[in-house]
Amino acid sequence: MNLVFLGPPGVGKGSLAVRIAKDYGLLHISTGEMLRAEISAGTQMGKLAEKYINDGNLMPDSLIIEMLLSKLQCSTAKQGYILDGFPRTLNQARELDKFVQIDAAINLDAPEEVLLKRISHRRICPVCGKGYISYMMSSNLCEQCGVEVTIRDDDKEEVVKARLEAHNKRILPILNYYKETGKLINVDGNDTMDGVAQRVRLILEGLNC
Ligand code: AMP
């Protein structure tokens, strides 16, 4: 089963993708995480990505598509995967369909005030990149590295507003594309993680793949 998870920043798409991937034995592929790993490793790609991400802009399609396609060729991707954060443009969605079969595009959404509130609680480990929700942490240290967690540069309020605006503009053609190809499934993301995960599981059980 190959899935695309769509949704604005803060909707809980990443945590949900991790959870559903674990339940169904799928590979979770987050293009944002891949880019942050490149930045931490100080690669050429990371240096480019840093500027785009910190300015609240998308990476150029050609670079991100190339990076994703090489990931999809690795053996663990053969068991099926969830794409989280890709596609973000209509061109990316079309290019993806040229190379792989996507079974469903799960679109999560929630009101903007809910999204802004959730993002203000997001934290990340500057060493390993593990994500946290501040009020769910027993201390402000990463449980893997023991270093203090921080707010992602692109989670700062003014950058988030730009990201939400950009997302709203770009998502419509992608949603229309998946609607036309019969793959779009809308899910209400304004619920607890358990509630949303249960809804998605029911949907996946109804899919014939
Ligand atoms: P995310 O962790 O998914 O919110 O991604 C963080 C940032 O990485 C985004 O704001 C973009 O700058 C960049 N990025 C991630 N995925 C893509 C993509 N599919 N296309 C272009 N840029 C991306």
Side-chain angles (χ1 to χ4, degrees), residues 9 13 30-33 35-36 52-53 56-61 64 84-88 92 122 152 154 163:
K13 178 168 53 75
S30 156
T31 44
E33 268 173 25
L35 293 173
R36 285 188 287 280
Y52 286 100
I53 293 179
N57 292 322
L58 290 184
M59 288 285 285
D61 278 354
I64 201 92
D84 165 11
F86 188 102
R88 269 194 166 83
Q92 290 180 11
R122 287 209 302 212
R152 265 167 53 178
D154 60 333
R163 287 169 69 204

Side-chain angles (χ1 to χ4, degrees), residues 106-120:
I106 308 282
N107 177 47
L108 298 160
D109 210 356
E112 185 158 321
E113 64 272 18
V114 174
L115 301 175
L116 285 170
K117 195 167 167 214
R118 284 188 189 163
I119 290 172
S120 70

Side-chain angles (χ1 to χ4, degrees), residues 53-133:
I53 293 179
N54 291 347
D55 289 347
N57 292 322
L58 290 184
M59 288 285 285
D61 278 354
S62 55
L63 289 177
I64 201 92
I65 289 167
E66 194 186 320
M67 184 183 81
L68 179 73
L69 291 179
S70 75
K71 179 79 178 177
L72 294 184
Q73 275 159 11
C74 76
S75 59
T76 40
K78 306 282 180 276
Q79 72 207 37
Y81 45 81
I82 297 179
L83 297 184
D84 165 11
F86 188 102
R88 269 194 166 83
T89 65
L90 180 58
N91 182 41
Q92 290 180 11
R94 288 196 171 129
E95 283 298 307
L96 184 65
D97 277 349
K98 287 186 192 163
F99 295 95
V100 295
Q101 158 79 32
I102 294 298
D103 299 301
I106 308 282
N107 177 47
L108 298 160
D109 210 356
E112 185 158 321
E113 64 272 18
V114 174
L115 301 175
L116 285 170
K117 195 167 167 214
R118 284 188 189 163
I119 290 172
S120 70
H121 295 298
R122 287 209 302 212
R123 299 292 180 273
I124 191 164
C125 170
V127 176
C128 71
K130 187 170 164 46
Y132 294 92
I133 303 294

